[in-house]
Amino acid sequence: MAVIERNTKSSLHLRSNSLPSAPHPVVSHLDEHLQRLKGSEATSSVSEKLNGLQDLNDCIDKLLQLPMEQQALAQECNEKQVDDLLERSLRLLDICSTAKDCLLQSKESMHELQSVIRRRRGNETGFLVEGVKYLALRKKMKKSIHKTLENLKAMKNELIASSSSKDNNTSLMLGFLKDVEAVTLNSLEHLLLFVSDPKGHSKNSRWSVISMLVQPKRAVCESNTNEFEKVDAALKSLTSHKSSSIESFQSHMENLEMCIQDLEIGIENLSRKLIRNRVSLLNIFNH
């Protein structure tokens, strides 16, 4: 990411020579959003990152509608740059699709557990069966996310290599698109780790306390508290007949359900904006 940021600064400096002294307001707005997201990467929650990406892609959409930027992008991008840009936009959507699938599967499996708890009335067999199914699903999901994370890291390396290229003939628009891709990849990586690797993700626990004090009423996805981890731990305890409260487990599931709902809304809205911007790019390059 540091390499991308250094090249971003140099490319912005180079681009400024060919731009008017007063850039379009959308350009300034986009740059402000970028700097804000980069500055808060270590402290913001998953939901906050997704919301920030939505705002960022709205700025990209506005910039892509400017005739001068459309013309510059179409004229200044060579064939390889166009192919790479469109390919990366597809791969970003694939990552979003994986995240959506994992959230949906988690929610459906959790609903089965809740249903069994309501019906069980002292019979633990059904609960144990569904509990084992849920934990098996989590294991399978982690493998799927691990493969997606490998793809994501490959994309980050490709983007760094692209930004480090000696070919600095980069248009303003292409430079911004690469910056947004870098921030998007970091945020999606954060989301996937949040879902699949709670312990590895929980590196900013001190910020969880701050977030919860500031917004105590919101679901846990507004902070860095990880209800995936809490549900996993409580369920393992219950299925192995260790001491654990079913009421506490239900409370964790309710929090996780709210968290998943927030994440589903965020990733769905982001996907739509990524699709919209991809369509705009296709129209520009095929015009």
Side-chain angles (χ1 to χ4, degrees), residues 15-24 68-69 172:
R15 288 180 230 139
S16 64
N17 295 329
S18 60
L19 288 173
S21 56
H24 195 284
M68 287 185 64
E69 289 304 327
L172 171 70

Side-chain angles (χ1 to χ4, degrees), residues 10 38 47 125 137 140 145 150 227 248-249 259 265 283:
S10 61
K38 288 177 181 178
S47 287
T125 304
L137 172 69
K140 181 179 179 182
I145 290 178
E150 288 181 345
E227 286 300 323
S248 175
F249 175 64
C259 176
I265 292 171
N283 289 336

Side-chain angles (χ1 to χ4, degrees), residues 39-287:
S40 64
E41 278 188 341
T43 59
S44 59
S45 69
V46 182
S47 287
E48 289 167 342
K49 284 179 170 61
L50 291 177
N51 290 335
L53 288 179
Q54 292 173 48
D55 294 337
L56 197 59
N57 277 277
D58 282 337
C59 290
I60 287 291
D61 175 57
K62 292 175 182 177
L63 204 54
L64 286 171
Q65 304 311 314
L66 298 177
M68 287 185 64
E69 289 304 327
Q70 292 178 354
Q71 184 178 7
L73 194 60
Q75 291 178 348
E76 297 177 24
C77 287
N78 59 45
E79 186 176 348
K80 185 179 186 308
Q81 288 173 324
V82 172
D83 290 343
D84 289 347
L85 183 61
L86 294 176
E87 173 66 19
R88 287 196 303 269
S89 71
L90 263 185
R91 291 166 72 183
L92 278 176
L93 288 170
D94 286 341
I95 295 172
C96 289
S97 179
T98 297
K100 286 193 288 186
D101 288 345
C102 289
L103 291 170
L104 178 61
Q105 290 173 23
S106 296
K107 183 173 66 176
E108 289 177 344
S109 183
M110 190 173 57
H111 285 168
E112 289 297 325
L113 270 172
Q114 291 171 324
S115 177
V116 169
I117 290 173
R118 286 193 296 267
R119 301 193 314 261
R120 73 174 193 157
R121 295 180 182 178
N123 182 3
E124 296 185 356
T125 304
F127 175 77
L128 290 174
V129 170
E130 290 301 328
V132 170
K133 282 183 181 178
Y134 179 87
L135 292 174
L137 172 69
R138 290 282 293 153
K139 186 175 181 180
K140 181 179 179 182
M141 187 184 302
K142 288 178 182 182
K143 289 183 179 179
S144 173
I145 290 178
H146 179 71
K147 291 181 180 179
T148 302
L149 283 170
E150 288 181 345
N151 177 40
L152 188 151
K153 289 177 183 178
M155 286 182 66
K156 290 173 74 172
N157 290 335
E158 290 168 13
L159 197 56
I160 290 172
S162 171
S163 300
S164 303
S165 171
K166 294 181 180 180
D167 179 16
N168 285 321
N169 246 348
T170 305
S171 70
L172 171 70
M173 191 66 234
L174 183 58
F176 272 133
L177 288 171
K178 287 184 177 182
D179 293 344
V180 172
E181 283 178 36
V183 173
T184 302
L185 286 170
N186 281 343
S187 297
L188 289 176
E189 182 179 32
H190 193 86
L191 167 62
L192 293 173
L193 287 173
F194 182 83
V195 175
S196 68
D197 186 20
K199 292 181 180 178
H201 167 269
S202 302
K203 297 176 182 177
N204 301 312
S205 56
R206 64 191 180 95
W207 294 106
S208 305
V209 179
I210 296 173
S211 298
M212 289 167 70
L213 288 173
V214 173
Q215 294 180 313
K217 286 291 210 174
R218 277 305 292 153
V220 286
C221 282
E222 290 294 332
S223 71
N224 285 309
T225 302
N226 198 309
E227 286 300 323
F228 282 99
E229 179 181 8
K230 290 184 178 180
V231 168
D232 285 357
L235 186 55
K236 287 176 183 177
S237 180
L238 284 168
T239 54
S240 60
H241 302 287
K242 294 180 181 178
S243 59
S244 186
S245 165
I246 191 68
E247 289 77 16
S248 175
F249 175 64
Q250 286 179 289
S251 175
H252 290 321
M253 281 202 298
E254 289 171 2
N255 287 336
L256 179 57
E257 186 172 15
M258 288 190 292
C259 176
I260 290 175
Q261 183 177 355
D262 281 349
L263 295 178
E264 281 185 318
I265 292 171
I267 198 69
E268 178 62 32
N269 288 339
L270 174 61
S271 296
R272 290 177 180 176
K273 294 177 189 297
L274 290 173
I275 291 171
R276 176 195 61 194
N277 291 347
R278 175 176 165 77
V279 170
S280 295
L281 288 171
L282 287 169
N283 289 336
I284 291 170
F285 293 130
N286 292 330
H287 185 66

Side-chain angles (χ1 to χ4, degrees), residues 16-33:
S16 64
N17 295 329
S18 60
L19 288 173
S21 56
H24 195 284
V26 176
V27 174
S28 301
H29 196 42
L30 174 58
D31 194 42
E32 287 174 9
H33 273 295

